[in-house]
Amino acid sequence: MLDLLQNDLNICNITLACYVPAGSGDTIHKNRPSHGLAFKCFGSSDYIFPNGKVISIKKNDIIYLPKNSDYSVTKIVSGDCFAISFDLSDNVIFKPFAISTKDSQKFFELFKSAEKIWRSKKHGYNLKCKALLYEIIYNMQKEYNYDYLNGQKAEIIKPAVSYIHKKYHCEELKISALAEMCNITPEYFRKIFSSVYGSSPAKYIINLKLERSRELLSSGLYTVTEAMLLSGYTDAAYFSHQFKNKYGYSPQKAKHID
């Protein structure tokens, strides 16, 4: 069994691009005649396969259904979807799966365009739908591989991230020491950290400190000096500058903000 999102595909034909309104569509499918992708616009459903596997989908999810597969559909919350059925030139078998889309509007527009073009039956409509399907699968692979690679990277720096959350408020954390925990160079540590968390390690640590200080001040139980020290700062002027730069008001004012 091969994974659709980890292989190059040769689409030889589109057999259908359609809109499936809420409350319509078959609930039992036997020996599906072609491969299919469906984008859930609204609602939620369970797809149940003979081996007991259940794939649940909700709004903005995409489900892949293999050619020759048997399954039944249970509609948890009635909703509509767009679907594209297609044939591949290679005789391959992929596993059924579903993904939650990040850029759901992009996928919605691609599926919607494919349905509109297919319905129009204008010259070249099959070719245009094929191009749109390639774009859909390309974007699915792009999102999937980004998550997969980031997951691998996150595992590499996991020891350091765990240490940061334990010690950011009571210890001066050095990038060289954090990188050593992960058995990588400081340069590579910074690169991985930024790609996974969208922030440099130093900025990430500062944000943790400032968020803790703001919470302590907002509680009304701590003075500015106490909140500063409990958050890992020792320089009052530096703390005040960073706090105001992030939140737009001084630590003193934070004591009076609910």
Side-chain angles (χ1 to χ4, degrees):
M1 304 288 281
L2 300 175
D3 192 332
L4 179 83
L5 297 184
Q6 293 179 308
N7 289 270
D8 289 330
L9 302 174
N10 189 359
I11 301 166
C12 62
N13 190 41
I14 304 293
T15 59
L16 179 66
C18 65
Y19 170 71
V20 184
S24 62
D26 295 333
T27 58
I28 297 177
H29 298 258
K30 294 287 187 180
N31 194 25
R32 182 183 174 89
S34 56
H35 301 276
L37 286 175
F39 177 85
K40 194 73 169 174
C41 304
F42 184 78
S44 58
S45 302
D46 285 344
Y47 287 72
I48 306 165
F49 296 83
N51 62 359
K53 181 181 180 69
V54 178
I55 297 179
S56 300
I57 66 167
K58 60 186 184 306
K59 181 181 179 181
N60 296 330
D61 287 352
I62 295 176
I63 186 168
Y64 163 71
L65 299 162
K67 184 175 183 177
N68 301 326
S69 60
D70 300 333
Y71 56 92
S72 61
V73 184
T74 300
K75 296 172 183 176
I76 309 303
V77 177
S78 184
D80 56 343
C81 71
F82 286 103
I84 302 176
S85 297
F86 57 97
D87 290 323
L88 298 172
S89 59
D90 301 320
N91 187 25
V92 291
I93 300 174
F94 297 109
K95 295 178 289 185
F97 68 89
I99 64 167
S100 297
T101 62
K102 291 182 174 61
D103 192 349
S104 56
Q105 188 61 34
K106 176 190 289 183
F107 285 106
F108 173 80
E109 294 297 339
L110 287 170
F111 274 91
K112 182 180 179 182
S113 294
E115 186 278 331
K116 182 179 179 180
I117 290 166
W118 184 269
R119 179 165 36 89
S120 74
K121 294 291 186 290
K122 291 182 179 179
H123 178 72
Y125 72 94
N126 197 300
L127 187 61
K128 180 60 177 177
C129 283
K130 189 187 295 186
L132 288 168
L133 180 57
Y134 272 121
E135 189 171 356
I136 288 168
I137 294 172
Y138 164 76
N139 281 287
M140 289 173 66
Q141 289 182 340
K142 185 178 178 181
E143 288 195 355
Y144 171 83
N145 289 323
Y146 178 81
D147 286 344
Y148 177 73
L149 291 173
N150 264 14
Q152 286 185 317
K153 291 176 182 177
E155 281 298 313
I156 294 173
I157 61 174
K158 187 175 180 179
V161 173
S162 178
Y163 193 82
I164 286 171
H165 281 268
K166 289 179 182 177
K167 300 291 186 178
Y168 73 88
H169 60 287
C170 61
E171 183 179 314
E172 184 180 355
L173 301 174
K174 295 190 177 296
I175 301 303
S176 57
L178 293 171
E180 189 174 346
M181 293 177 192
C182 308
N183 296 313
I184 57 178
T185 65
E187 292 76 20
Y188 191 42
F189 176 78
R190 289 189 182 92
K191 183 177 180 180
I192 293 179
F193 196 101
S194 295
S195 72
V196 173
Y197 291 97
S199 165
S200 69
K203 188 173 181 180
Y204 186 88
I205 293 167
I206 288 171
N207 284 336
L208 287 175
K209 290 183 175 184
L210 291 173
E211 184 61 23
R212 175 173 167 81
S213 68
R214 187 183 67 83
E215 291 171 351
L216 293 174
L217 290 169
S218 296
S219 73
L221 301 174
Y222 301 90
T223 65
V224 171
T225 299
E226 289 171 336
M228 176 191 75
L229 294 173
L230 288 170
S231 301
Y233 286 96
T234 56
D235 186 319
Y238 181 62
F239 166 63
S240 182
H241 173 76
Q242 285 201 329
F243 191 99
K244 190 170 184 179
N245 189 53
K246 179 174 176 63
Y247 296 113
Y249 50 85
S250 68
Q252 289 77 12
K253 187 174 181 180
K255 284 178 60 63
H256 306 292
I257 297 177
D258 188 13

